[in-house]
Amino acid sequence: MTAVLTEATPEEPPELAGKESAQLFSAEIARSAIVDSLKKMHPRVQAKNPVMFVVLIGSVLTTVLFLKDLGSSTAQENVFSGVVALFLWFTVLFANFAEAVAEGRGKAQADTLRKTRSETTARRRSADGSIETVSSAILDLDDVVVVTAGEIIPSDGEVVEGIATVDESAITGESAPVIRESGGDRSAVTGGTRVLSDEIVVRITARAGETFVDRMIALVEGSARQKTPNEIALNILLAGLTIIFLLATVTLQFFAVYSGARQSIIVLTALLVCLIPTTIGGLLSSIGIAGMDRLVRRNVLAMSGRAVEAAGDVATLLMDKTGTITFGNRQAAEFRPVPGTSADELAAAALASSLADETPEGRSIVVLAETAHSQTPPELPDAELVPFTAQTRMSGIDDGDMSIRKGASDSVKAWVLGRGGSVPPDLDDLVRGVSELGGTPLVVATGDASGTRVLGVIYLKDVIKPGIAERFTQLRAMGIKTVMITGDNPITAKYIAAEAGVDDFLAEATPEDKMELIKAEQAGSRLVAMTGDGTNDAPALAQADVGVAMNTGTQAAKEAGNMVDLDSDPTKLLDIVEIGKQLLITRGALTTFSIANDVAKYFAIIPAMFAGVLPALDRLNVMHLQSANSAILSAVIFNALIIVILIPLALRGVKFVPSSAAALLRRNLLIYGLGGLVSPFIGIKLIDMGLTAIGVK
């Protein structure tokens, strides 16, 4: 059996509405952030940020010089030194405040999560079947607990027996209960959720303190946050720029002495702080924290920040058709028999072959056979049920000499031919007819001592989710390739792919086919993202650059992926990509803005330093600042205040607009490059006018 990868014909839908934004500030967060800002003044904390560490040293140095010269200098000199020292401290404090606010939002969310995490009792079942009541805190891996209606699931685990409705609103915020059952890909349960009906037996899959809630708390509080590769690289760049400007400032003093315009340590410190990239240096950490916060607020648990950044660079999205592009609740709509077979005979065989099929599709076949054709489940006490697998793509039943199979057309035909039977020529027309309607054809065949034959086709309807085509259009505008993965035959896959608007599709896909496709895309230097929930998805999730496992999926899938979606919504992958891109765009935009700022501060400070001995440099005083001291003070004050002004943007993120890389670059340079260049000229001039008005010269 071979997979088929072909082109699909996209549609051009209208633009999709944006996401709502969370509240940035609250009085409680602000109060906590002020206290934390002061705590972060510790040199050990500041040393982690080379740019702000240099500003801290400058603040200490200027303060010492101010206090030293307090009694011996003129009042004007004292005011100048004091204001410079004060706003250097403010620069450090405001940077700390930005980070503290971002962390405070996470801590507030962590407090909410803690309310859902409470120590409960658990009914642990021992190997001999006896039940003992223990604290949830002592549960260990592979312990088995019994949870009945009204009880709290004590820890993360997998349902190994039974079926029940579960209220997960405490974790996901979704009020509608969900079904959790043993077997299949919806067996995972989360600690802290409540069983609403029936009884289930759960095998514990997490130690105390290592549950999803615990990991989410650690993540949003920042205790589990590590700097991402891009963040580390940018830190290195900023440190390099800081060293360069430090050397330039030190060297400048030699030229100043030579020209007869020796500069004070305070002036040189002010120059250094204004020229190094303090804006992005002060906001870099808060941008990363806020990006993770946006992800968590969408109920996605990332194992590392690296995965979030990778999501922003994703070039190929692999998505299962069922549950992502379509609702996934395909329903049996019609039995279409081959000539010589009645619809009732086909319905009876389809019902028998679906007894071992616990999928929604299998259950709908049973319902259709019972309601539309008055069929009843056969009494076959010695029968062996054959479950559906991704490898065979068939389910059925074996009872002595009698066998029934139901599944994909190629798989059933191969089974019939392998038993010496024949395939009627009308079968392909029936399969094609269902496929052309966008449905999924399932072929039913039976075999006994008299021979093996095909009975007909089951028509399963599949419904595309509303708005999904619009999302694919946005992704296409960003240069992201979308690939639909399905086990359906190529004709069905082509119909659904064209209707949904995906770029490519992989039909008749096996787990091995997924792996090959991912490796092929990665070989072309394209980052790949995919979702999955089953054990058979685990290898592909591990291979993908961004692997999003569903919380309802198997433990193997969750361990293989680098993200877990607590809502178990496969379409969340699209949101994850947008969050990742917004993080990268925000960091790039504010870096551009910060570096562009330096140009204006250069034109403010350098002419002021040398205008007295080199009158020609006064031509560089394009802002017509009132005095040398006023120019330097204005630049220092602006350098501190701009961090405060940009905190909301760092926390909220730059507005994400789906577009190509070239368009994003033009937008970045136009808004944040040009804006970063112009705004300091305006801001410094206004501050200079204010200082002049209050008599500071």
Side-chain angles (χ1 to χ4, degrees):
M1 187 184 309
T2 58
V4 180
L5 182 64
T6 60
E7 294 290 328
T9 305
E11 296 178 356
E12 299 295 335
E15 187 176 354
L16 194 68
K19 297 285 182 184
E20 62 180 22
S21 58
Q23 184 182 356
L24 291 180
F25 296 103
S26 69
E28 184 177 352
I29 290 177
R31 286 193 298 268
S32 177
I34 292 174
V35 176
D36 290 342
S37 300
L38 297 173
K39 294 179 180 179
K40 290 177 179 291
M41 286 291 190
H42 195 286
R44 188 181 302 121
V45 177
Q46 292 299 311
K48 298 178 182 178
N49 187 332
V51 176
M52 301 316 300
F53 186 63
V54 169
V55 180
L56 177 65
I57 294 175
S59 303
V60 174
L61 179 60
T62 53
T63 302
V64 171
L65 293 175
F66 165 68
L67 295 175
K68 175 178 175 293
D69 299 334
L70 192 58
S72 58
S73 301
T74 64
Q76 184 175 338
E77 291 173 339
N78 288 334
V79 169
F80 173 78
S81 301
V83 174
V84 169
L86 179 64
F87 276 91
L88 291 187
W89 282 112
F90 278 164
T91 302
V92 181
L93 187 65
F94 293 157
N96 291 344
F97 181 77
E99 183 176 359
V101 169
E103 292 175 347
R105 284 159 53 86
K107 291 177 181 178
Q109 190 173 4
D111 292 338
T112 302
L113 289 169
R114 281 195 182 90
K115 295 177 182 178
T116 70
R117 187 189 63 177
S118 58
E119 187 173 318
T120 61
T121 58
R123 291 187 292 142
R124 184 170 63 184
R125 190 173 72 181
S126 56
D128 60 4
S130 60
I131 303 292
E132 61 174 334
T133 302
V134 299
S135 170
S136 61
I138 69 171
L139 292 175
D140 205 353
L141 290 175
D142 296 324
D143 280 348
V144 177
V145 298
V146 180
V147 190
T148 192
E151 294 179 345
I152 301 294
I153 297 174
S155 185
D156 296 350
E158 284 189 305
V159 180
V160 293
E161 295 179 24
I163 180 173
T165 55
V166 180
D167 178 12
E168 297 184 341
S169 58
I171 306 298
T172 66
E174 178 58 51
S175 60
V178 295
I179 302 294
R180 296 290 174 262
E181 59 185 323
S182 61
D185 296 335
R186 302 190 73 82
S187 60
V189 290
T190 305
T193 58
R194 183 184 298 273
V195 175
L196 298 179
S197 69
D198 303 292
E199 182 178 271
I200 53 176
V201 179
V202 178
R203 179 178 61 84
I204 303 302
T205 58
R207 293 186 175 90
E210 298 178 0
T211 66
F212 277 112
V213 174
D214 293 315
R215 291 160 70 181
M216 286 187 70
I217 291 173
L219 185 67
V220 299
E221 282 188 326
S223 59
R225 183 182 121 80
Q226 297 179 343
K227 289 184 178 180
T228 64
N230 283 349
E231 196 172 346
I232 294 173
L234 186 54
N235 261 315
I236 294 172
L237 173 63
L238 298 182
L241 290 175
T242 301
I243 293 172
I244 291 172
F245 282 119
L246 176 61
L247 295 174
T249 303
V250 173
T251 305
L252 188 65
Q253 180 72 319
F254 293 102
F255 289 99
V257 172
Y258 178 79
S259 61
R262 184 184 184 91
Q263 302 296 319
S264 68
I265 299 298
I266 291 179
V267 170
L268 292 173
T269 303
L271 173 66
L272 174 63
V273 171
C274 287
L275 292 185
I276 63 177
T278 51
T279 304
I280 184 61
L283 296 174
L284 183 60
S285 180
S286 61
I287 294 171
I289 296 172
M292 292 294 280
D293 178 67
R294 285 192 292 274
L295 192 69
V296 174
R297 288 177 184 274
R298 286 170 171 81
N299 286 333
V300 177
L301 176 63
M303 306 307 175
S304 69
R306 181 191 298 266
V308 185
E309 283 190 349
D313 287 327
V314 160
T316 302
L317 289 184
L318 306 186
M319 294 164 291
D320 284 330
K321 180 197 71 174
T322 305
T324 305
I325 297 173
T326 64
F327 281 106
N329 55 345
R330 296 178 295 178
Q331 299 293 311
E334 184 183 357
F335 295 114
R336 297 187 174 187
V338 297
T341 303
S342 68
D344 288 342
E345 183 182 3
L346 172 60
L351 188 154
S353 66
S354 299
L355 294 178
D357 188 353
E358 293 298 322
T359 64
E361 293 86 352
R363 294 168 184 161
S364 74
I365 293 171
V366 173
V367 171
L368 180 64
E370 291 177 339
T371 56
H373 296 271
S374 303
Q375 300 296 318
T376 58
E379 296 289 338
L380 301 171
D382 299 325
E384 179 184 352
L385 301 179
V386 180
F388 177 88
T389 67
Q391 285 72 34
T392 64
R393 298 194 296 131
M394 294 188 301
S395 64
I397 188 171
D398 292 329
D399 185 36
D401 293 335
M402 187 272 293
S403 297
I404 304 174
R405 292 293 185 271
K406 171 209 70 186
S409 173
D410 289 349
S411 298
V412 176
K413 286 195 291 186
W415 181 80
V416 171
L417 295 174
R419 291 171 58 96
S422 61
V423 177
D426 301 287
L427 179 63
D428 289 341
D429 291 335
L430 291 175
V431 170
R432 190 179 301 106
V434 172
S435 301
E436 289 175 351
L437 294 174
T440 300
L442 295 181
V443 177
V444 180
T446 183
D448 53 29
S450 62
T452 303
R453 61 193 180 96
V454 175
L455 300 181
V457 174
I458 305 170
Y459 173 23
L460 296 180
K461 284 188 174 180
D462 212 349
V463 182
I464 293 176
K465 292 183 176 181
I468 196 73
E470 288 84 350
R471 301 291 296 275
F472 290 151
T473 297
Q474 292 182 338
L475 293 172
R476 192 175 300 108
M478 293 185 288
I480 297 176
K481 175 184 177 183
T482 55
V483 181
M484 182 186 77
I485 299 175
T486 178
D488 292 337
N489 64 73
I491 298 175
T492 301
K494 183 178 181 180
Y495 185 96
I496 298 292
E499 186 177 356
V502 297
D503 299 312
D504 300 315
F505 64 86
L506 185 66
E508 299 179 344
T510 64
E512 293 77 15
D513 294 327
K514 295 181 184 179
M515 284 288 291
E516 291 176 4
L517 178 57
I518 293 173
K519 291 178 179 179
E521 291 292 323
Q522 292 172 334
S525 301
R526 300 172 68 90
L527 297 189
V528 179
M530 69 164 291
T531 61
D533 58 4
T535 301
N536 64 329
D537 292 323
L541 287 171
Q543 180 66 36
D545 301 283
V546 179
V548 185
M550 303 295 102
N551 190 39
T552 57
T554 62
Q555 190 66 22
K558 290 191 285 187
E559 291 176 353
N562 49 26
M563 292 189 188
V564 177
D565 177 22
L566 297 181
D567 294 332
S568 298
D569 178 9
T571 60
K572 191 72 69 66
L573 181 61
L574 305 179
D575 295 328
I576 292 171
V577 171
E578 291 183 1
I579 291 171
K581 285 194 172 295
Q582 187 182 36
L583 172 63
L584 297 180
I585 291 170
T586 301
R587 190 182 293 156
L590 292 185
T591 300
T592 302
F593 185 91
S594 177
I595 294 175
N597 269 207
D598 291 343
V599 177
K601 289 178 281 189
Y602 171 87
F603 278 99
I605 296 180
I606 297 298
M609 293 172 61
F610 295 98
V613 294
L614 298 172
L617 287 179
D618 192 56
R619 296 178 182 177
L620 297 178
N621 185 18
V622 294
M623 289 178 277
H624 301 291
L625 304 178
Q626 295 300 316
S627 67
N629 285 355
S630 174
I632 295 170
L633 288 178
S634 299
V636 171
I637 293 172
F638 176 86
N639 194 62
L641 295 181
I642 196 63
I643 295 177
V644 181
I645 295 172
L646 292 176
I647 288 177
L649 182 62
L651 297 181
R652 186 182 293 110
V654 174
K655 184 179 179 181
F656 176 73
V657 179
S659 56
S660 65
L664 286 174
L665 179 60
R666 287 195 298 269
R667 180 171 176 263
N668 182 43
L669 293 176
L670 179 63
I671 298 178
Y672 299 98
L674 185 61
L677 186 65
V678 173
S679 58
F681 281 93
I682 299 173
I684 291 173
K685 180 61 179 178
L686 291 175
I687 295 172
D688 176 73
M689 293 170 62
L691 292 175
T692 303
I694 62 176
V696 178
K697 299 180 180 178

